[in-house]
Amino acid sequence: MSNGVGYRLTKLTYEQTDIGQKKYWNSILSSPRGNSAIDNQGHLAGPFDLFLRSPKTGTVVTAVGEHLRFGTNLSQYVLELAIVIVAAHWGSKFEWAWHAPLALKAGVEPHILQSLKSRKIPDFGSDVTGATIFEVVSAMLKTGTCGEDTYTRAVTLLGDSNLVDLTAVAGYYTQLAFAMGIFRLELSHSDEKNELMHLNP
């Protein structure tokens, strides 16, 4: 997604922000993400920094993300697998680095992550859940919909409500990937090295 030029914005410190931006910053710190949303230099990490430029939009978008990560009935396995599928599809380095370790913790096998990162179709073996999530999320990302057979498998597995939430997860993380892609928000070399270490435990 990125051409490697680097972040198009200058990261803001808390002291540089106005009242509306400080309100957004404080809302991030008081959310379930907490201090994990602060980078080593004391800035908001990842997309949270770029949303400081439009804090009202950032507040709404971030609230949606908080609900999708912490407020649905999707299992952690389904949630994190869907996120890394989106991250790999769009080549979103931040999404991948943040969520690949969470996917591992949720039970996604390392070889599945390696296949996704290499843009290969993973071999889920007897894991019907993983195969179905990959099939439906990949179809959404490529065409915006899915075929009848894929839909039937997905709705049988998840039910109507969870399938709605899964579409929202794919859409939300696509939106983040677009925002970070437009502003060329990338990882440092050391972050990428640490990410690769996570995939080879």
Side-chain angles (χ1 to χ4, degrees):
M1 173 173 287
S2 171
N3 63 8
V5 172
Y7 194 31
R8 282 172 158 157
L9 301 173
T10 299
K11 285 197 168 188
L12 298 174
T13 65
Y14 186 80
E15 290 71 23
Q16 291 173 318
T17 59
D18 62 26
I19 293 175
Q21 291 170 324
K22 283 182 171 65
K23 183 178 179 180
Y24 174 69
W25 191 307
N26 292 336
S27 74
I28 296 296
L29 292 183
S30 63
S31 76
R33 298 175 177 90
N35 289 328
S36 66
I38 302 294
D39 68 19
N40 292 334
Q41 289 74 46
H43 304 111
L44 286 182
F48 304 121
D49 176 77
L50 67 86
F51 280 130
L52 278 172
R53 279 64 179 187
S54 183
K56 288 184 179 180
T57 295
T59 297
V60 174
V61 172
T62 302
V64 170
E66 183 176 319
H67 168 71
L68 293 174
R69 281 197 64 195
F70 305 108
T72 76
N73 289 321
L74 294 174
S75 70
Q76 286 301 111
Y77 178 79
V78 168
L79 174 68
E80 294 300 338
L81 176 58
I83 294 170
V84 292
I85 291 168
V86 172
H89 178 84
W90 295 117
S92 179
K93 292 182 177 180
F94 259 102
E95 286 182 349
W96 184 268
W98 285 10
H99 287 279
L102 295 175
L104 282 173
K105 186 176 179 181
V108 179
E109 296 291 339
H111 73 89
I112 299 296
L113 293 176
Q114 292 287 8
S115 292
L116 290 172
K117 190 173 179 64
S118 301
R119 297 182 179 271
K120 298 177 181 177
I121 297 176
D123 180 4
F124 286 93
S126 61
D127 179 8
V128 175
T129 296
T132 302
I133 297 306
F134 176 77
E135 186 177 355
V136 69
V137 173
S138 295
M140 284 191 288
L141 292 169
K142 292 175 183 176
T143 69
T145 185
C146 69
E148 287 299 321
D149 289 346
T150 299
Y151 170 78
T152 298
R153 283 191 287 274
V155 79
T156 299
L157 173 71
L158 297 172
D160 294 343
S161 177
N162 283 338
L163 184 53
V164 168
D165 288 343
L166 182 66
T167 66
V169 168
Y172 171 74
Y173 283 93
T174 289
Q175 191 278 324
L176 291 189
F178 284 176
M180 291 188 285
I182 286 291
F183 292 100
R184 293 177 182 160
L185 199 161
E186 298 184 358
L187 294 171
S188 69
H189 177 71
S190 61
D191 286 333
E192 291 185 64
K193 182 178 179 181
N194 289 336
E195 171 208 338
L196 293 176
M197 289 173 63
H198 281 300
L199 297 185
N200 294 280

